[in-house]
């Protein structure tokens, strides 16, 4: 009989192993042994011509209990608002976002906005980080696992690279403001759907208005496309300055590559370096 402390340590190690391997959410209430399923003998190939009268197979008994139907409480929480009418939800988001007179108010309003289904799978709302009066605002797509756990944007490997990219042009992350188009982590790091983006867009637009930066740096295509409306890919738009209308005047918007992309394609860092040098030049009033 293993001693309970060892058994607990084994269980924790087993969970850590799965987390490291990227398994960070449960998809079912019951475990499935996929290895056993894969080892099971293949069902016999169907004969081209059925024998005169094939024997009826015994009724299939599922090996796991089926999902129970959603409870009334779950339906009340997820049902109508969570997925059903994205356009209505985007209109509601616009009306709510407009009411926020400060970033604190906006965060509180967003925390109470339950039309976006992502909020129900995320651990935390990842609102923003940094100096609310920043001259430069960075915008990513959506939080990942580290950001979801910590509740702040760009905390994981992409965030560490972003910090280094800023440092390379003499920018300290604390003097900037960082946010994402979508403030909740999409499950399994999938891309947010266009409906989810549309629901979150009014909030990020208001967030930008409340920060009032002179320069907005869009990291990657989703942020660039959401804020500028362009359909062009990031390799076409990167390095380009757009103009972004704000109540107090226009801000410059620079499109550049996302640090996660640079982690996968380190050779492209030279392009990001060019973009960051143009950013430095604008900040120094030299461009
Ligand atoms: N990628 C993003 O787009 N945002 C984050 O906050 C982290 C990774």
């Amino acid at each position: 009989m293993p001693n309970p402390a060892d058994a607990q340590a084994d269980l924790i190690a087993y969970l850590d192993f799965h987390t490291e391997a990227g398994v960070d959410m449960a998809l079912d209430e019951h475990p499935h042994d996929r290895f056993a399923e894969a080892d099971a003998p293949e069902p016999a190939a169907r004969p081209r011509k059925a024998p005169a009268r094939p024997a009826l197979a015994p009724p299939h008994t599922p090996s796991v209990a089926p999902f129970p139907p959603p409870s009334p409480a779950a339906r009340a929480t997820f049902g109508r608002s969570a997925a059903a009418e994205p356009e209505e939800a985007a209109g509601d988001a616009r009306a709510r976002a407009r009411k926020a007179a400060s970033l604190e108010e906006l965060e509180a309003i967003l925390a109470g906005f339950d039309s976006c289904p992502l909020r129900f799978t995320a651990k935390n709302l990842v609102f923003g980080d940094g100096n609310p009066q920043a001259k430069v605002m960075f915008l990513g797509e959506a939080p990942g696992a580290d950001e979801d756990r910590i509740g702040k944007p760009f905390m994981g490997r992409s965030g560490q690279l972003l910090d280094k990219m800023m440092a390379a042009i003499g920018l300290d992350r604390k003097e900037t403001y960082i946010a994402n188009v979508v403030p909740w982590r999409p499950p399994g790091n999938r891309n947010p759907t266009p409906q989810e983006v549309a629901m979150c867009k009014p909030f990020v637009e208001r967030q930008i208005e409340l920060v009032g930066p002179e320069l907005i740096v869009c990291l990657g295509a989703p942020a660039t496309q959401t804020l500028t409306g362009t359909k062009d890919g990031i390799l076409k738009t990167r390095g380009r300055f757009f103009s972004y209308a704000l109540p107090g005047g226009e801000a410059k918007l620079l499109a550049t590559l996302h640090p996660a992309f640079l982690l996968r394609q380190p050779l492209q860092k030279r392009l990001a370096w060019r973009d960051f040098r143009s950013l430095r030049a604008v900040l120094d009033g030299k461009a």
Side-chain angles (χ1 to χ4, degrees):
M1 175 92 176
N3 97 41
D6 286 351
Q8 189 187 33
D10 280 356
L11 267 176
I12 291 170
Y14 182 71
L15 284 173
D16 283 346
F17 168 79
H18 279 85
T19 313
E20 285 281 305
V23 182
D24 56 3
M25 65 184 303
L27 296 177
D28 199 348
E29 293 186 359
H30 306 273
H32 296 258
D33 186 348
R34 301 288 183 208
F35 292 109
E37 286 169 17
D39 288 344
E42 287 276 316
R46 251 192 189 193
R48 271 174 181 263
K49 253 195 179 168
R53 191 168 258 286
L56 284 179
H60 173 67
T61 323
S63 60
V64 294
F67 273 122
S71 66
R75 250 189 254 122
T77 309
F78 292 95
R80 204 183 74 84
S81 62
E85 293 99 7
E87 276 178 19
E88 193 185 307
D92 178 33
R94 251 188 309 279
R96 287 175 188 236
R98 239 181 264 129
K99 290 196 187 129
S102 65
L103 287 171
E104 291 73 21
E105 277 182 34
L106 185 66
E107 182 169 3
I109 291 172
L110 196 47
F113 177 69
D114 59 8
S115 295
C116 181
L118 294 178
R119 65 163 294 151
F120 298 104
T121 47
K123 287 193 181 73
N124 278 304
L125 168 68
V126 178
F127 181 67
D129 187 33
N131 176 1
Q133 272 108 42
K135 226 167 133 178
V136 192
M137 176 162 176
F138 288 84
L139 201 74
E141 180 185 21
D146 292 313
E147 292 76 20
D148 184 37
R149 191 168 38 80
I150 298 165
K152 287 190 177 174
F154 284 96
M155 287 283 123
R157 286 182 68 222
S158 294
Q160 285 157 18
L161 178 55
L162 180 61
D163 292 354
K164 285 188 194 151
M165 289 158 72
M166 290 188 197
I169 56 161
L171 261 185
D172 181 342
R173 175 185 173 120
K174 292 195 205 77
E175 13 161 338
T176 73
Y177 188 84
I178 311 182
N180 283 301
V181 171
V182 168
W184 292 285
R185 180 196 183 204
N189 288 352
R190 66 160 170 78
N191 295 333
T193 64
Q195 290 81 3
E196 288 159 356
V197 170
M199 280 177 215
C200 297
K201 190 175 167 189
F203 292 107
V204 75
E205 285 174 339
R206 185 71 188 131
Q207 197 171 6
I208 297 171
E209 280 177 11
L210 290 166
V211 175
E214 288 172 25
L215 256 157
I216 302 163
V217 182
C218 286
L219 301 164
T224 308
Q225 293 173 345
T226 304
L227 287 199
T228 66
T230 181
K231 297 230 172 353
D232 289 340
I234 195 66
L235 288 172
K236 189 150 178 207
T237 49
R238 63 138 284 278
R240 224 174 105 189
F241 281 94
F242 295 76
S243 122
Y244 186 87
L246 284 174
E250 292 203 334
K252 287 191 160 119
L253 182 155
L254 172 64
T256 191
L257 303 172
H258 193 290
F261 172 77
L262 298 173
L263 287 169
R264 292 192 301 272
Q265 307 236 3
L267 270 184
Q268 308 288 12
K269 283 184 186 169
R270 64 206 160 93
L271 298 177
W273 174 233
R274 270 191 227 157
D275 302 343
F276 270 61
R277 282 182 51 194
S278 338
L279 170 62
R280 180 76 262 168
V282 171
L283 287 173
D284 292 343
K286 293 186 183 150

